[in-house]
């Protein structure tokens, strides 16, 4: 805002009536599960994705996470075959590689919008699928964002300088340099949240499976003991009846 109007492909300056053009193609970066036995983790993510994806346009999906990629391919989603990144053990290096790939594909003009889909860990017992637009950035959304502390409390509107600031070599060059670093941070944060959510979902799924197995074992033991007691009682009655007959 302090630099005035910046001519850059990273900002969305399209008129509202051009938001949904017929030539539009979308790219989705999806952070799914690496392994199974995590309850409805993948299904919840795909359910939200189905509700958000615009099937009127050509879409391509970059799916991180082996189990999620396999499940999406079975459901007919077009996935890029050579995009094989794990979600487990997230690192800044991996986030940078993903961010560089996304920026490269976006700047090539092949895709008009880039979205990020992952699962956010709201609390230890609640995980929510999240769908956000990575590119292009919307100026009005940036200016309306709240300044947040580390614990999520609002600190008020972001203060925008009223005077114009000089940038070297130019505002556009500075902005275009910062955007890939910004995307790297967003993707790394999403990787951490997705990995944590997957492990938490798996922990609760295994805990529920263990509880169900224990309940089944207790029920079977009770049934076994009842049958055993009934057989013993029957044998005792037969013996008693034989003695009485003699």
């Amino acid at each position: 805002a302090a630099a005035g109007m910046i001519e850059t492909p990273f900002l969305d300056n399209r008129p509202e009536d051009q938001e949904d053009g017929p030539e539009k193609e979308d790219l989705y970066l999806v952070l799914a599960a690496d392994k199974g036995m995590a309850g409805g983790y993948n299904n919840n993510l795909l359910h939200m994705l189905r509700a958000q994806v615009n099937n009127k346009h050509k879409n391509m999906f970059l799916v991180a996470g082996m189990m999620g990629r396999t499940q999406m391919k079975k459901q007919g989603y077009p996935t890029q075959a050579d995009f094989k990144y794990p979600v487990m053990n997230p690192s800044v290096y991996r986030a940078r590689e993903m961010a560089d790939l996304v920026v490269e594909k976006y700047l090539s003009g092949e895709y008009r919008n880039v979205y990020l889909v992952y699962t956010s860990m709201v609390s230890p017992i609640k995980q929510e699928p999240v769908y956000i637009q990575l590119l292009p950035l919307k100026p009005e959304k940036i200016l309306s964002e709240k300044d947040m502390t580390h614990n999520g409390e609002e600190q008020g509107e972001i203060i925008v300088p009223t005077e114009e600031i000089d940038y070297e070599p130019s505002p556009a060059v500075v902005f275009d340099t910062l955007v890939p670093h910004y995307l790297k941070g967003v993707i790394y944060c999403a990787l951490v949240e997705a990995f944590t959510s997957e492990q938490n979902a798996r922990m609760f799924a295994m805990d529920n499976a263990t509880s169900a197995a224990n309940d089944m074992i207790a029920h079977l033991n009770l049934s076994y003991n009842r049958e055993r007691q009934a057989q013993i009682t029957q044998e005792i009655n037969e013996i008693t009846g034989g003695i009485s007959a003699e």
Side-chain angles (χ1 to χ4, degrees):
M5 181 60 68
I6 301 177
E7 292 295 332
T8 171
F10 290 121
L11 283 179
D12 186 2
N13 296 315
R14 292 170 294 177
E16 291 185 3
D17 59 351
Q18 294 182 7
E19 284 295 317
D20 294 317
E23 302 296 329
K24 181 178 176 183
E25 297 181 0
D26 294 335
L27 179 67
Y28 293 83
L29 175 58
V30 183
L31 308 182
D34 270 311
K35 300 179 180 179
M37 297 185 293
Y41 179 85
N42 271 330
N43 289 332
N44 293 335
L45 190 69
L46 294 181
H47 178 73
M48 188 272 296
L49 189 61
R50 280 193 294 269
Q52 296 291 343
V53 170
N54 190 341
N55 291 321
K56 295 180 181 179
H57 306 132
K58 179 181 177 182
N59 303 306
M60 177 56 68
F61 297 86
L62 306 177
V63 187
M66 182 180 67
M67 187 61 64
R69 183 167 58 253
T70 301
Q71 192 167 344
M72 288 186 65
K73 288 177 66 177
K74 287 182 178 179
Q75 295 188 17
Y77 287 93
T79 60
Q80 185 168 319
D82 58 351
F83 188 87
K84 296 181 179 180
Y85 287 91
V87 175
M88 62 188 306
N89 303 323
S91 66
V92 176
Y93 176 78
R94 187 179 305 152
R96 183 169 62 246
E97 284 190 334
M98 291 183 180
D100 290 344
L101 180 61
V102 165
V103 169
E104 178 185 351
K105 287 184 172 296
Y106 175 75
L107 292 180
S108 70
E110 187 177 358
Y111 302 99
R112 192 174 185 187
N113 297 295
V114 180
Y115 299 96
L116 174 63
V117 183
Y118 67 100
T119 302
S120 174
M121 183 171 172
V122 180
S123 69
I125 60 173
K126 183 180 181 182
Q127 296 88 38
E128 284 186 353
V130 177
Y131 172 93
I132 63 175
Q133 182 170 336
L134 283 181
L135 291 172
L137 301 172
K138 295 184 178 295
E140 66 277 7
K141 183 177 180 181
I142 296 175
L143 294 178
S144 65
E145 287 180 348
K146 299 288 187 178
D147 185 15
M148 311 291 285
T149 61
H150 67 281
N151 58 2
E153 296 178 355
E154 292 185 0
Q155 298 296 299
E157 297 290 344
I158 296 176
I159 299 175
V160 179
T162 55
E163 70 279 2
E164 191 166 308
I165 299 175
D166 291 332
Y167 295 90
E168 293 292 342
S170 69
V173 172
V174 173
F175 188 81
D176 290 348
T177 302
L178 290 177
V179 168
H181 293 285
Y182 162 74
L183 295 179
K184 179 185 69 176
V186 172
I187 293 175
Y188 176 67
C189 179
L191 281 170
V192 172
E193 293 247 4
F195 175 64
T196 307
S197 298
E198 180 185 346
Q199 303 311 310
N200 226 35
R202 182 171 294 108
M203 179 182 69
F204 277 96
M206 292 300 96
D207 182 68
N208 291 336
T210 300
S211 297
N214 288 335
D215 292 342
M216 182 181 295
I217 291 173
H219 175 73
L220 291 175
N221 280 334
L222 182 61
S223 299
Y224 169 77
N225 289 331
R226 284 176 177 174
E227 292 293 333
R228 179 172 175 271
Q229 186 64 42
Q231 185 177 358
I232 292 174
T233 302
Q234 181 180 354
E235 291 177 354
I236 291 176
N237 289 337
E238 290 176 354
I239 294 173
T240 304
I243 294 176
S244 299
E246 291 178 358

